[in-house]
Amino acid sequence: MRKRFWFSPYYSLAAGIGNVRSRALGDPTITSGPNQFVLTGTNIPQDYPQTVTRIHEVAAVFKYKLTEKLMPKLEYRYQQFDNQDYQTTPMTPYMGCVGAGSIVVSAPCVNVGANLSVKSPSSSYPGFVVGDTGATRYIFLGADQPSYRAHVITATLEYHF
């Protein structure tokens, strides 16, 4: 049985973080005169939020040697991708859907008010009012890649010559 059956597990994790630090320009040792270094209240530099990207992948492969040349294979793969970026998370893929008048939309689209005049709904987004109807078919580069989870099961039959 050991020579006919193979089991191969696999796990992979790739993760990355990004930090953008902000520091004030100038010389803090100059305390008087026209070139005095002064930071007060809200003009003190703040660091940007951290960005995170992570992908997990788990797989298991089962093979069984049916005959000398024939080997069925069953593979299960689970993949999870998570991404958080302060620059792109507030963006929507087409950057144009808004709700106005009687049309109410859900996040990430924005409702701009019931008393605003309503443009004709876009054919690209039925039920949505689009701020710029010409932009509904554009894809904005840099828009957020949403997190996802995927389960994949494959069955194959290998034939060896």
Side-chain angles (χ1 to χ4, degrees), residues 67-84:
T67 67
E68 191 65 33
K69 295 185 176 189
L70 210 55
M71 186 180 304
K73 178 173 87 169
L74 182 66
E75 180 177 348
Y76 169 76
R77 185 174 302 271
Y78 172 74
Q79 194 174 68
Q80 177 179 331
F81 174 77
D82 296 306
N83 183 40
Q84 183 179 12

Side-chain angles (χ1 to χ4, degrees), residues 71-125:
M71 186 180 304
K73 178 173 87 169
L74 182 66
E75 180 177 348
Y76 169 76
R77 185 174 302 271
Y78 172 74
Q79 194 174 68
Q80 177 179 331
F81 174 77
D82 296 306
N83 183 40
Q84 183 179 12
D85 189 340
Y86 66 90
Q87 298 176 82
T88 58
T89 299
M91 298 175 79
T92 59
Y94 298 96
M95 292 299 292
C97 55
V98 295
S102 61
I103 298 174
V104 178
V105 295
S106 58
C109 300
V110 179
N111 290 296
V112 293
N115 298 326
L116 194 68
S117 63
V118 178
K119 292 182 181 180
S120 62
S122 165
S123 61
S124 303
Y125 294 104

